[in-house]
């Protein structure tokens, strides 16, 4: 039994050293899916790791986004091809002295570098005031920030299995946008009952308000992200 325990601990430590994910992250993913309201309460009352039992919300959220970016990379990118008109991309590629394929690859690399930091900052800036306002407690900015990324983690962990289809062009991509929006509402209603809302009707209204706020944040953030990605592909290397 002792040898089995040592081997299991060794495997856990190896996973943490090589991927940054261990038992805390697995436990966090499980409880965000199964018991989001209970986990939020622990994060709010017992600190950012709930006594070392869970991953920090921001760290976990960044890890989920890293997984989704790896999926996008395996798919061969495609985000900029969807977001920008092909003739415009071709013109920029010619100006940079690169083939369109090379230009897109460089731009996708830059996009992967800046997307998560920019979006995290905007999500926090626009969502923290709402969650602080709706919470029965006086959270302060620190716990408001934690609550925001707790919600984003609970939403994103449900989207990871769908990430392969997220950037598809056509009906599949459009249907994924609808699914993502619905998941954002369901996540808020499951996680926030008793803390962010009391009655179901008010909960739905607040869930819509938060989802629309985050959607606006992503629209605002996409402009500088695409600008940095295009500039990096044109002028860096």
């Amino acid at each position: 039994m002792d040898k089995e325990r040592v081997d299991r601990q060794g495997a856990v430590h190896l996973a943490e050293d090589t991927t940054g994910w261990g038992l805390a992250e697995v436990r966090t993913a499980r409880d965000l899916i199964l018991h989001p309201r209970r986990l939020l309460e622990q994060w709010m009352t017992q600190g950012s790791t709930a006594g070392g039992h869970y991953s920090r919300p921001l760290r976990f959220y960044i890890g989920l986004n890293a997984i989704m970016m790896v999926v996008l990379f395996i798919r061969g990118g495609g985000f900029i091809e969807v977001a920008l008109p092909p003739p415009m991309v071709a013109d920029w590629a010619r100006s940079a002295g690169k083939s369109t394929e090379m230009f897109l690859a460089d731009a996708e690399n830059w996009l992967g570098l800046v997307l998560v930091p920019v979006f995290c900052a905007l999500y926090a800036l626009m969502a923290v005031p709402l969650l602080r306002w709706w919470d029965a407690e006086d959270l302060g900015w620190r716990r408001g920030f934690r609550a925001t990324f707790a919600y984003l983690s609970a939403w994103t962990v449900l989207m990871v299995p769908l990430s392969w289809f997220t950037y598809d062009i056509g009906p599949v991509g459009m249907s994924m946008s609808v699914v993502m929006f619905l998941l954002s509402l369901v996540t808020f209603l499951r996680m926030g009952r008793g803390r962010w809302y009391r009655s179901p009707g008010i909960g739905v209204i607040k869930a819509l308000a938060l989802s629309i706020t985050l959607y606006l944040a992503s629209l605002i953030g996409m402009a500088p992200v695409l600008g940095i990605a295009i500039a990096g592909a044109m002028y860096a290397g």
Side-chain angles (χ1 to χ4, degrees), residues 21-102:
W21 277 51
L23 285 180
E25 285 72 29
V26 172
R27 196 180 295 123
T28 301
R30 180 199 65 195
D31 287 358
L32 281 173
I33 295 170
L34 299 178
H35 310 291
R37 184 162 63 97
R38 187 174 70 190
L39 179 51
L40 174 66
E41 197 63 28
Q42 289 182 273
W43 269 330
M44 292 296 97
T45 59
Q46 299 178 32
S48 58
T49 64
H53 201 60
Y54 295 103
S55 178
R56 297 175 187 272
L58 176 58
R59 182 179 186 274
F60 187 77
Y61 177 69
I62 291 174
L64 292 176
N65 277 273
I67 294 172
M68 296 177 72
M69 294 306 294
V70 169
V71 172
L72 180 61
F73 174 79
I74 293 172
R75 288 184 77 252
F79 184 88
I80 292 179
E81 290 180 86
V82 175
L84 297 173
M88 184 181 295
V89 174
D91 288 343
W92 284 330
R94 281 194 296 271
S95 299
K98 300 177 179 179
S99 67
T100 300
E101 291 76 13
M102 183 179 294

Side-chain angles (χ1 to χ4, degrees), residues 62-181:
I62 291 174
L64 292 176
N65 277 273
I67 294 172
M68 296 177 72
M69 294 306 294
V70 169
V71 172
L72 180 61
F73 174 79
I74 293 172
R75 288 184 77 252
F79 184 88
I80 292 179
E81 290 180 86
V82 175
L84 297 173
M88 184 181 295
V89 174
D91 288 343
W92 284 330
R94 281 194 296 271
S95 299
K98 300 177 179 179
S99 67
T100 300
E101 291 76 13
M102 183 179 294
F103 181 85
L104 283 171
D106 289 345
E108 293 282 356
N109 288 337
W110 279 94
L111 182 139
L113 182 65
V114 301
L115 181 68
V116 174
V118 171
F119 275 37
C120 280
L122 285 170
Y123 286 160
L125 183 66
M126 297 182 70
V128 170
L130 289 178
L131 295 182
R132 288 189 63 197
W133 176 28
W134 294 337
D135 202 289
E137 295 183 56
D138 182 11
L139 292 181
W141 286 103
R142 185 173 182 179
R143 284 202 296 162
F145 184 88
R146 192 185 307 157
T148 296
F149 286 100
Y151 165 77
L152 289 170
S153 293
W155 177 21
T156 307
V157 78
L158 299 176
M159 293 192 294
V160 168
L162 307 174
S163 56
W164 184 267
F165 309 102
T166 302
Y167 300 112
D168 276 1
I169 302 173
V172 174
M174 293 179 64
S175 64
M176 284 300 102
S177 297
V178 175
V179 170
M180 288 167 61
F181 184 77

